[in-house]
Amino acid sequence: QQQVKQSPQSLIVQKGGISIINCAYENTAFDYFPWYQQFPGKGPALLIAIRPDVSEKKEGRFTISFNKSAKQFSLHIMDSQPGDSATYFCAASPDSGNTPLVFGKGTRLSVIA
Amino acid sequence: NAGVTQTPKFRILKIGQSMTLQCTQDMNHNYMYWYRQDPGMGLKLIYYSVGAGITDKGEVPNGYNVSRSTTEDFPLRLELAAPSQTSVYFCASSYRFRTEAPIRGYTFGSGTRLTVV
């Protein structure tokens, strides 16, 4: 099943707080999970990605946590800043690498001061 | 280095009209994609191409057509525009379907906001 379920649809976080966005999938053939960030009026851009051979990947304030048995992965934004306000998409790709990425429906994050 | 360039940025069409959304990339990417983005619905794949002369349908191809005569260009054609085609359209390109470090994923254009009235 080619689907990635993303939640919540929207999120409001105080400046300095932790933003958490969750994604779940059913297709066990997925083995590459990128996150894309989209600012208003712009196209999405790759933020961070993980493969299931690790349970966590960190780049600066952004961390992906991966739970293979639960078929879930999440994006954590530590010390959230107003500049992080954007729409975030999770995505997945099968291990064959022969089909395009499947995207979640997106989460609109607003970080307020 | 321009990346992915989409034109026009905005367009209003009347029902039944046709138009072509232009997309060009200067990164020598073989793979190109067209997505539409509707509020709360995420990115839905319309068509994609793995090289010049090769195209394939995505999740929502009805009402659209594409061609890929060169590596650089991947235009999207709307025939007989309908209100359901009101959306923001994004073109993207990549080296492959999945690209990992150091190659950084899909490169998206800035989008075309289309309204059909």
Side-chain angles (χ1 to χ4, degrees):
Chain A
Q1 187 174 359
Q2 298 289 332
Q3 192 173 10
V4 178
K5 295 183 179 179
Q6 183 171 348
S7 63
Q9 185 171 359
S10 62
L11 181 63
I12 299 174
V13 173
Q14 292 278 350
K15 179 182 176 180
I18 302 174
S19 304
I20 302 174
I21 304 170
N22 300 299
C23 285
Y25 63 97
E26 291 294 327
N27 189 345
T28 55
F30 287 154
D31 80 334
Y32 172 65
F33 304 92
W35 285 88
Y36 279 74
Q37 179 188 53
Q38 182 185 30
F39 292 107
K42 302 292 185 182
L46 180 64
L47 181 63
I48 187 173
I50 196 169
R51 293 183 61 108
D53 52 347
V54 296
S55 60
E56 185 175 282
K57 183 174 182 179
K58 184 176 181 179
E59 289 187 3
R61 295 184 294 107
F62 299 90
T63 300
I64 301 178
S65 296
F66 185 80
N67 185 330
K68 187 174 183 178
S69 60
K71 291 185 283 188
Q72 296 175 346
F73 58 108
S74 59
L75 177 68
H76 293 64
I77 305 174
M78 312 301 288
D79 186 26
S80 299
Q81 300 296 313
D84 297 328
S85 298
T87 299
Y88 293 82
F89 294 96
C90 62
S93 173
D95 57 7
S96 65
N98 291 330
T99 58
L101 290 176
V102 176
F103 286 90
K105 291 188 176 183
T107 296
R108 188 168 185 173
L109 171 66
S110 297
V111 181
I112 57 176
Chain B
N1 200 348
V4 177
T5 302
Q6 292 184 238
T7 56
K9 294 190 182 303
F10 305 93
R11 182 71 184 269
I12 298 175
L13 275 183
K14 293 184 178 180
I15 295 172
Q17 287 185 321
S18 300
M19 76 165 294
T20 298
L21 280 65
Q22 301 292 344
C23 175
T24 187
Q25 54 93 7
D26 62 358
M27 297 169 287
N28 203 32
H29 286 167
N30 283 325
Y31 291 59
M32 296 189 73
Y33 318 84
W34 274 105
Y35 287 91
R36 60 176 288 172
Q37 182 177 21
D38 301 299
M41 299 303 292
L43 295 163
K44 294 195 173 183
L45 183 64
I46 304 171
Y47 271 96
Y48 64 97
S49 169
V50 301
I54 306 170
T55 62
D56 209 345
K57 296 178 181 179
E59 181 183 0
V60 289
N62 291 342
Y64 307 95
N65 278 298
V66 294
S67 60
R68 184 96 182 270
S69 57
T70 67
T71 298
E72 294 78 19
D73 300 307
F74 190 41
L76 178 70
R77 178 80 178 166
L78 279 71
E79 304 283 1
L80 299 175
S84 61
Q85 294 178 304
T86 293
S87 187
V88 180
Y89 291 84
F90 287 100
C91 179
S93 71
S94 67
Y95 281 108
R96 292 181 294 277
F97 284 135
R98 52 191 285 167
T99 51
E100 301 176 55
I103 300 170
R104 299 293 287 174
Y106 290 15
T107 300
F108 283 82
S110 295
T112 295
R113 183 174 293 274
L114 175 68
T115 302
V116 181
V117 297

